[in-house]
Amino acid sequence: QKEVEQNSGPLSVPEGAIASLNCTYSDRVSQSFFWYRQYSGKSPELIMSIYSNGDKEDGRFTAQLNKASQYVSLLIRDSQPSDSATYLCAVNRYTIKAAGNKLTFGGGTRVLVKP
Amino acid sequence: DAGVIQSPRHEVTEMGQEVTLRCKPISGHDYLFWYRQTMMRGLELLIYFNNNVPIDDSGMPEDRFSAKMPNASFSTLKIQPSEPRDSAVYFCASSPQGLAYEQYFGPGTRLTVT
């Protein structure tokens, strides 16, 4: 089982619709959760971070965290063609090593917003 | 403000050659991270530094890989000798607070080893 799993997609959504992306993780001690957007040929950029159970909204983006079920999701409302990109889920978990923390990225979900 | 700066942006080299990738983090950021991204393995954290000190290098794939951070504004990732399977995009990122917080990525270096 991968530490952080995402459906690779592509997730095709019509313009104006809601895109729903899911991410599951295996380690229950995970503490911090991130969604990064990566356009083709570009570097990842953070769009959302969430640390506690529930919903967090920022503009058209909503992150949802459920630690009991070990999943985090991202909703993109009113999807635009400019939202077409790969969305990476990242999970930070504590380890007993001296380093203390470990950050693992999922494989990403490719989203295509069709006009 | 300038973001994370990486050089070179593209590197093509022959198997067996030494490759050095360079990174300048955002001024004031105490954490620096090196990542590798491939289609097969996705984005992987190789090593990260806090205040120029390597904290966790467990992601470094082999002894052929080494990283240094001689000062707060410069880091290198070296591969010696390089192999075709090292072909990937290498990202450097920096953060003011660490792994549990937002990271700012550089544009990446696309490495091709023939």
Side-chain angles (χ1 to χ4, degrees), chain B residues 77-92:
Chain B
L77 178 68
K78 185 176 294 185
I79 308 173
Q80 166 61 23
S82 59
E83 296 183 4
R85 60 194 167 120
D86 301 330
S87 297
V89 179
Y90 291 82
F91 290 105
C92 176

Side-chain angles (χ1 to χ4, degrees), chain B residues 13-62:
Chain B
T13 190
E14 294 183 347
M15 182 175 61
Q17 296 298 307
E18 177 179 296
V19 176
T20 299
L21 311 182
R22 297 172 177 80
C23 175
K24 176 179 170 58
I26 294 172
S27 178
H29 284 192
D30 294 333
Y31 290 83
L32 182 140
F33 310 88
W34 281 102
Y35 290 89
R36 177 174 69 174
Q37 188 173 40
T38 62
M39 288 293 292
M40 289 296 295
R41 300 178 66 89
L43 190 62
E44 302 173 282
L45 178 62
L46 301 179
I47 184 172
Y48 78 95
F49 296 83
N50 178 211
N51 291 325
N52 312 337
V53 176
I55 301 300
D56 184 1
D57 66 353
S58 61
M60 297 286 261
E62 299 172 38

Side-chain angles (χ1 to χ4, degrees), chain A residues 28-79:
Chain A
R28 286 190 173 275
V29 299
S30 298
Q31 301 166 315
S32 311
F33 307 85
F34 309 91
W35 284 100
Y36 282 83
R37 177 177 61 198
Q38 186 174 26
Y39 292 113
S40 180
K42 302 296 184 182
S43 56
E45 58 177 330
L46 183 74
I47 53 173
M48 290 288 286
S49 60
I50 187 166
Y51 300 93
S52 56
N53 281 329
D55 294 0
K56 179 181 179 182
E57 185 174 319
D58 184 0
R60 296 186 295 109
F61 299 97
T62 299
Q64 300 173 318
L65 175 61
N66 185 323
K67 289 188 177 181
S69 300
Q70 295 176 236
Y71 80 80
V72 56
S73 62
L74 179 71
L75 300 177
I76 308 174
R77 292 183 301 280
D78 188 23
S79 295

